[in-house]
Amino acid sequence: MTEVMEKDGLETARPDTEAVSQIVIENVWKVFGRDPKRVLGKNYRNLSKDEVQEKTGCIIGMRNINLEIKKGEFYILMGLSGSGKSTLIRNLIRLVNPTSGTIKVNGKNLTTMSHEQLLDFRRNNFGMVFQHYGLLPHLTVLDNAAYGLKVKGIPKGERYAKAMTTLETVGLKGWEDYYPGSLSGGMQQRVGLARALANDPEILLMDEPFSGLDPLIRRQMQDELVELQDKLQKTIVFVTHDLHEALKLGDRIAILRNGEVVQIGTPEEIVTQPADDYVQEFVRDASPAKVLTAGSIMEPAKELLYAWEGPKTALTLLNSKKRRAAFVVNKAHELLGVTGIKDLEKLLASEVKHRTIPASAIRKVTSVLPDTILEDLFPIVSQNQYPIPVVDEKNRLQGVVTTDQIFESISPPEEDEAAAEAETETETKAKAKAKSDEGGLV
Amino acid sequence: MINFPDLVTIPLAAWIDAAMSWLLRNMDGFFEVIGFIILQVVLGFEGLFLFVPWFIWIPLIGLAGWKLVGRWRTGLMFMIMLFLIGAFGYWEMAMLTLSLVIASVFFSLLIGIPFGILMARNDRAESILKPILDGMQTMPSFVYLIPALMFFGMGKVPAMFATIIYAVPPVIRLTNVGIRTVDVEAVEASKAFGATSRQVLFDVQLPLAKPSIMVGINQTTMMALAMVVIGSMIGARGLGMEVLLAINRIEVGRGFEAGMTIVFLAIIIDRITYSFSERNKKDLR
Ligand SMILES: Nc1ncnc2c1ncn2[C@@H]1O[C@H](COP(=O)(O)OP(=O)(O)OP(=O)(O)O)[C@@H](O)[C@H]1O
Ligand SMILES: [Mg+2]
């Protein structure tokens, strides 16, 4: 199989199926300002954020938020500036205290905890990474990385040893004795990450950790984070306002507006089924090629040849359906490859009789796993005259993806419905023509 | 011209006098203890400054100028200044004045830094202290001499008391500002890792506010020097008294020499304390 497949083998290891919820947020409100409770009363409760601010001077930071974040999930909070992302993520460790509602982590209610319990909880369960790094400039890189452990009261030797290991994990070996001020932004954020990881917390909170970095470094850090997450399997809550970052990293995305959650979904759901105009606006320049998977757009293969039925049957079938070639599977429905009229005719013309279609008449094809994103299909499409077969881990054929399907699903949603309709009509005609030119394969 | 009606009078002066005499009557022991502590500290510093002879002080301060301020020429300048002070015949007076200043600054910091911290961490404390500090800084310095005189009589202690009160606002103010302007994320980071409020203070807020606090210390020291000179009016022996005498006797030359000595001291103290704040800023960058 191809490289594409191997890469995807890794990605399937992501635990989006594990169902244990780690963080549960219920009916959480945050109102900034004097006497915030009154805003929750029925007089103001249903007014918009601006109206509330005008009438009471209070600012609604979060309005009736309900979220559930699963263990091991990479959860993204996204929204425009002022939509309440930072407020929400700070709520999770009560750096900001909610005005009402409950926050449960591992089943424990954070909102009713005493201050002591809360500090203990922060020390043992969380690591946080900040947009501007939040490092302590008067401490060395090593001391910064060890800070969480110091707060916890872990003796010097042990905490330095641990901090060294995490610094190594983030690629900062050899920088221990420098001061943060002499490091580049990317490296400072690595220190921030090392500090958060040193405690080995279950949950990582990251508030726009890569926003301050330039694009190249940023992409590199994202890739490394993905890699790290594959290894560590933390629960990550990650704030960003960069859609591409969200799509690349997130298992699920919650979109916030004016302190409210407008949509929660997988990257694919967000891009393909935006809940309203606000989300639509967000995902407008998202490339579906980055979120849609082969599995989500594939269709069942129209004609299949069964190896055990023999070459004659296959040839008859192809001729009657006016097809030049088709995929061949065995009894276990495993994909063997593709064979065509010419191959079969050549085979039948030879002396040797075959009860099944022999391997010599079957050409190998490149196949992909169902969760391969469309972007990764492009190189295959470009050097492949057949539709792409989609197989599961056991090489069983699941369906096929044609070039048409790929381009149809990544063409942006049309602004004007009528125009779109007219266009698709002519398009389908053109496509139908192209299809028949292609020789009507499968 | 229409005069302000005589009928409308507010006897504020009388009230304050009454309050003062009440304090004097009832808090006598308290002031005695405070006076005693202040006196011991200043005597300690005096002992130190007069015990170490001039030929050690001069190179020592020269070295400090070179190493701390960063240029050997500054060190040389300091040495020349100190030498001139000695040549004017004011060495002992200068040392007395210096010990008064340093002892006062010591107390000002002892009071000022905790108040600054309180003010930074508590908005209500800030809203109460701010107008008081504003008032203190606009009040003419002589005014502080009056209660000092009443509580402690004549001499070093009242001069120092007035100095401490007069010089304390800058360090309070700049400690407050310093802590409040510490990078929010650094403080949040510390809290996020479960730091107690004490840990946040000592691990993050104070170290990061240090440059600002140092500027406060510099200003407090300069104000203390100015006030100690004025404090001579109520009997603290030192350079101020020399100036005062020179004025009374219209001895321009003597007054000039004493004045120059004060200026030299001011320059040296200013440069050295300023170098501390600069140094810290560099470290934090
Ligand atoms: N301490 C505060 N006092 C008053 N209002 C606040 C406070 N903190 C946040 N807000 C308000 O709450 C709302 C949400 O702010 P928040 O910082 O959570 O937004 P955000 O989504 O993180 O935005 P950004 O992308 O700019 O970081 C904003 O309207 C903001 O003005
Ligand atoms: Mg924010």
Side-chain angles (χ1 to χ4, degrees):
Chain A
M1 292 289 132
T2 60
E3 204 191 314
V4 180
M5 271 209 58
E6 278 159 26
K7 193 175 141 210
D8 281 298
L10 265 184
E11 280 182 13
T12 46
R14 282 213 205 169
D16 37 16
T17 46
E18 219 170 320
V20 189
S21 52
Q22 182 135 51
I23 303 175
V24 180
I25 303 171
E26 281 168 346
N27 310 323
V28 165
W29 286 71
K30 175 66 193 181
V31 180
F32 294 102
R34 271 187 38 238
D35 189 13
K37 287 266 190 221
R38 82 199 132 122
V39 175
L40 303 186
K42 62 177 186 298
N43 287 348
Y44 299 113
R45 194 180 177 93
N46 295 317
L47 298 184
S48 76
K49 179 171 171 172
D50 289 341
E51 285 170 327
V52 167
Q53 188 170 355
E54 200 177 299
K55 291 200 173 147
T56 66
C58 289
I59 298 172
I60 294 184
M62 289 191 294
R63 176 196 290 269
N64 202 21
I65 303 260
N66 288 281
L67 289 181
E68 189 190 333
I69 299 172
K70 298 196 184 91
K71 200 173 162 74
E73 192 169 31
F74 203 128
Y75 202 96
I76 306 268
L77 301 175
M78 202 166 71
L80 296 178
S81 194
S83 58
K85 309 180 293 292
S86 298
T87 308
L88 178 52
I89 202 170
R90 278 163 176 69
N91 247 275
L92 299 180
I93 45 174
R94 284 184 49 200
L95 283 178
V96 171
N97 282 314
T99 310
S100 78
T102 56
I103 302 161
K104 285 192 191 137
V105 176
N106 294 338
K108 290 211 188 83
N109 192 344
L110 247 71
T111 33
T112 54
M113 269 184 192
S114 72
H115 190 64
E116 297 307 312
Q117 283 173 315
L118 179 66
L119 292 188
D120 236 32
F121 212 69
R122 286 178 184 165
R123 285 179 205 135
N124 295 317
N125 296 277
F126 292 97
M128 188 155 178
V129 181
F130 295 84
Q131 179 176 0
H132 307 290
Y133 328 127
L135 300 177
L136 305 179
H138 62 294
L139 300 181
T140 60
V141 166
L142 183 62
D143 274 315
N144 266 289
Y147 184 70
L149 300 167
K150 184 189 164 205
V151 166
K152 244 169 138 173
I154 288 172
K156 213 167 196 162
E158 191 184 335
R159 78 176 181 245
Y160 282 166
K162 274 194 184 162
M164 280 300 261
T165 356
T166 44
L167 280 175
E168 223 165 292
T169 317
V170 300
L172 278 184
K173 199 177 175 192
W175 293 90
E176 309 83 63
D177 297 330
Y178 286 76
Y179 284 87
S182 55
L183 269 56
S184 70
M187 281 158 75
Q188 292 193 38
Q189 194 55 297
R190 283 163 200 268
V191 180
L193 189 58
R195 178 175 64 180
L197 290 174
N199 268 343
D200 196 23
E202 272 182 278
I203 304 167
L204 270 185
L205 306 178
M206 309 178 88
D207 191 356
E208 304 201 30
F210 305 146
S211 299
L213 308 177
D214 51 41
L216 277 179
I217 307 286
R218 189 171 180 168
R219 216 167 307 147
Q220 194 186 342
M221 296 283 287
Q222 291 166 352
D223 292 340
E224 286 174 28
L225 184 61
V226 168
E227 220 171 281
L228 210 63
Q229 170 66 351
D230 275 334
K231 256 188 278 170
L232 302 178
Q233 300 292 332
K234 306 273 181 205
T235 303
I236 300 181
V237 185
F238 188 105
V239 170
T240 180
H241 49 229
D242 174 359
L243 178 72
H244 293 112
E245 190 166 75
L247 298 179
K248 180 171 177 179
L249 300 175
D251 293 326
R252 268 201 302 166
I253 301 175
I255 299 198
L256 298 169
R257 177 187 49 201
N258 288 341
E260 276 177 284
V261 174
V262 277
Q263 188 174 6
I264 298 177
T266 61
E268 192 176 324
E269 285 162 2
I270 299 279
V271 171
T272 55
Q273 306 150 32
D276 62 8
D277 291 350
Y278 177 81
V279 182
Q280 172 86 58
E281 189 62 25
F282 247 107
V283 300
R284 208 177 45 172
D285 55 9
S287 152
K290 286 200 164 73
V291 286
L292 289 176
T293 57
S296 67
I297 65 160
M298 69 184 179
E299 285 174 359
K302 289 207 192 74
E303 305 304 335
L304 264 189
L305 302 176
Y306 301 97
W308 71 92
E309 287 179 344
K312 244 188 199 143
T313 324
L315 188 58
T316 326
L317 192 78
L318 286 179
N319 278 327
S320 74
K321 300 277 177 179
K322 295 200 166 48
R323 288 184 183 274
R324 285 211 307 244
F327 291 122
V328 187
V329 295
N330 64 14
K331 277 194 171 155
H333 215 71
E334 283 164 0
L335 178 70
L336 299 176
V338 69
T339 190
I341 290 183
K342 280 187 190 136
D343 303 299
L344 293 169
E345 278 172 348
K346 215 162 82 191
L347 184 74
L348 290 170
S350 72
E351 330 275 81
V352 204
K353 289 260 185 271
H354 294 281
R355 281 196 44 236
T356 64
I357 305 176
S360 61
I362 299 174
R363 278 168 284 146
K364 287 259 171 284
V365 287
T366 311
S367 63
V368 296
L369 287 172
D371 59 3
T372 312
I373 57 171
L374 298 194
E375 199 174 51
D376 292 336
L377 298 182
F378 296 158
I380 305 173
V381 169
S382 66
Q383 29 151 288
N384 195 342
Q385 48 183 316
Y386 314 109
I388 302 169
V390 181
V391 297
D392 65 9
E393 293 87 17
K394 295 201 171 124
N395 197 30
R396 287 180 303 219
L397 187 65
Q398 305 289 300
V400 298
V401 176
T402 64
T403 318
D404 289 346
Q405 282 165 341
I406 295 178
F407 287 110
E408 216 165 276
S409 49
I410 63 175
S411 51
E414 301 302 333
E415 308 77 40
D416 190 330
E417 298 247 322
E421 231 156 79
E423 209 171 293
T424 31
E425 210 165 297
T426 51
E427 232 174 34
T428 26
K429 269 183 202 146
K431 271 183 196 152
K433 195 165 167 287
K435 204 165 200 165
S436 58
D437 290 348
E438 211 179 291
L441 188 123
V442 180
Chain B
M1 255 315 237
I2 300 169
N3 289 326
F4 196 82
D6 283 339
L7 283 175
V8 186
T9 53
I10 297 175
L12 186 61
W15 292 342
I16 289 178
D17 289 346
M20 286 297 274
S21 53
W22 183 88
L23 277 177
L24 278 178
R25 239 179 295 123
N26 296 288
M27 305 285 280
D28 206 20
F30 175 71
F31 289 118
E32 233 161 64
V33 173
I34 292 203
F36 180 77
I37 295 172
I38 292 181
L39 191 65
Q40 291 313 304
V41 171
V42 73
L43 289 180
F45 278 110
E46 265 176 20
L48 176 70
F49 284 120
L50 290 172
F51 175 75
V52 179
W54 64 272
F55 53 83
I56 293 184
W57 269 129
I58 293 185
L60 207 64
I61 296 295
L63 199 68
W66 178 26
K67 289 295 175 200
L68 293 176
V69 185
R71 275 183 310 238
W72 63 268
R73 261 189 287 169
T74 315
L76 184 67
M77 188 178 80
F78 285 1
M79 297 211 312
I80 293 173
M81 285 173 174
L82 286 177
F83 183 80
L84 283 176
I85 291 176
F88 293 154
Y90 280 139
W91 186 267
E92 197 194 328
M93 288 282 181
M95 289 301 128
L96 287 179
T97 300
L98 204 58
S99 18
L100 279 175
V101 170
I102 304 244
S104 308
V105 168
F106 171 80
F107 284 109
S108 285
L109 300 188
L110 210 65
I111 299 165
I113 291 177
F115 265 104
I117 293 171
L118 174 74
M119 199 170 160
R121 306 189 115 207
N122 184 327
D123 287 340
R124 169 161 284 165
E126 188 188 38
S127 63
I128 294 171
L129 281 171
K130 216 168 190 161
I132 296 179
L133 292 179
D134 288 341
M136 282 171 77
Q137 279 189 311
T138 47
M139 195 100 76
S141 47
F142 300 95
V143 176
Y144 294 101
L145 295 178
I146 303 165
L149 261 178
M150 294 185 65
F151 292 141
F152 302 105
M154 296 282 282
K156 281 194 180 94
V157 173
M160 273 185 64
F161 180 81
T163 305
I164 294 164
I165 304 295
Y166 178 74
V168 82
V171 72
I172 297 183
R173 211 182 270 277
L174 280 147
T175 302
N176 173 41
V177 170
I179 291 177
R180 279 179 185 269
T181 51
V182 164
D183 176 16
V184 190
E185 281 196 347
V187 174
E188 269 192 332
S190 172
K191 287 184 185 162
F193 286 102
T196 59
S197 121
R198 202 187 167 78
Q199 282 171 321
V200 174
L201 181 66
F202 286 103
D203 291 346
V204 184
Q205 291 178 315
L206 283 181
L208 299 203
K210 212 158 141 195
S212 172
I213 297 176
M214 285 297 174
V215 172
I217 293 179
N218 170 269
Q219 290 185 13
T220 287
T221 312
M222 298 317 287
M223 287 180 70
L225 180 63
M227 189 64 193
V228 160
V229 171
I230 292 167
S232 301
M233 284 191 201
I234 53 174
R237 229 160 67 82
L239 294 166
M241 196 171 254
E242 283 299 306
V243 179
L244 213 61
L245 286 177
I247 292 172
N248 283 343
R249 299 182 195 158
I250 322 183
E251 294 178 59
V252 181
R254 188 175 172 189
F256 188 78
E257 278 183 353
M260 282 305 281
T261 303
I262 292 170
V263 171
F264 289 159
L265 280 185
I267 290 173
I268 294 173
I269 294 174
D270 180 48
R271 290 298 191 81
I272 290 179
T273 51
Y274 183 73
S275 78
F276 287 139
S277 65
E278 283 302 294
R279 162 176 304 255
N280 274 291
K281 257 186 242 162
K282 235 181 283 157
D283 282 352
L284 290 180
R285 224 167 272 139

